[in-house]
Amino acid sequence: MVLALVVFALGALVGGWRPFSTDPDVFTYGPGGDLADFSLFDGQCAGGTLGDGATYSSGANTPCGDPHDVEVVGSTTPLNESRQVSYPGEDAMAAFGRSFCAMVAASGQVAPTASGVDRSDLRVAAIVPDEAAFDAPNGAGSGSSGGRLVSCLITRSDGQKLTDRFSVI
């Protein structure tokens, strides 16, 4: 028991392993975002390690039954793309993404296990638009789902590949 607590604390300190959390990490997408391209939609899986500089174009799509790094387990558009509205700010978008993805994670929309991997071994991340993507929701950098889409991704917290779908569809 003590060894498990030490391993957990050490992992938390170095930013590695982290249990399935209702406090998702947040990444922005768009021309000035953490992710230069994000064109995945709900239920889609893709290859590529999640982190600053990652790109998830429509060509990154991988069948969820094949080894993959990320899976979109939920998505929503908080503000209609056909309306002229102002970007609410990075903090507001991040707060919305965290709240939405925490709700998705707590809702049962993510299966408890898939192919022997437990949900507690997953990391949750909210993907939100940066200002440029938000302001041009149907522009070139907006992706196939539009530039106001907020998505929830899961990855394995140990960096290994997922081999099955966690989305409950």
Side-chain angles (χ1 to χ4, degrees):
M1 178 67 161
V2 172
L3 179 59
L5 289 173
V6 169
V7 169
F8 174 77
L10 183 59
L13 286 173
V14 297
W17 184 83
R18 176 176 138 154
F20 190 67
S21 171
T22 56
D23 185 23
D25 297 324
V26 177
F27 293 89
T28 57
Y29 69 89
D34 303 315
L35 312 176
D37 186 6
F38 186 80
S39 300
L40 302 178
F41 52 87
D42 202 5
Q44 213 170 10
C45 299
T49 303
L50 178 60
D52 290 350
T55 297
Y56 298 102
S57 64
S58 57
N61 182 33
T62 301
C64 293
D66 292 347
H68 57 280
D69 296 297
V70 300
E71 179 181 346
V72 181
V73 294
S75 60
T76 190
T77 304
L79 295 168
N80 190 315
E81 294 174 356
S82 64
R83 293 191 178 159
Q84 294 287 349
V85 295
S86 299
Y87 180 65
E90 191 173 321
D91 291 342
M93 288 303 301
F96 179 87
R98 277 191 195 96
S99 294
F100 175 69
C101 293
M103 182 177 66
V104 167
S107 72
Q109 194 163 312
V110 179
T113 63
S115 292
V117 176
D118 190 80
R119 179 167 74 173
S120 65
D121 295 327
L122 301 177
R123 174 179 160 207
V124 180
I127 312 299
V128 302
D130 71 357
E131 186 170 5
F134 184 94
D135 287 344
N138 300 307
S142 66
S144 60
S145 299
R148 294 191 182 158
L149 189 71
V150 172
S151 298
C152 306
L153 289 186
I154 58 167
T155 62
R156 287 200 38 184
S157 47
D158 64 4
Q160 298 298 308
K161 300 249 185 221
L162 296 162
T163 57
D164 203 354
R165 178 183 303 281
F166 269 91
S167 300
V168 176
I169 8 182

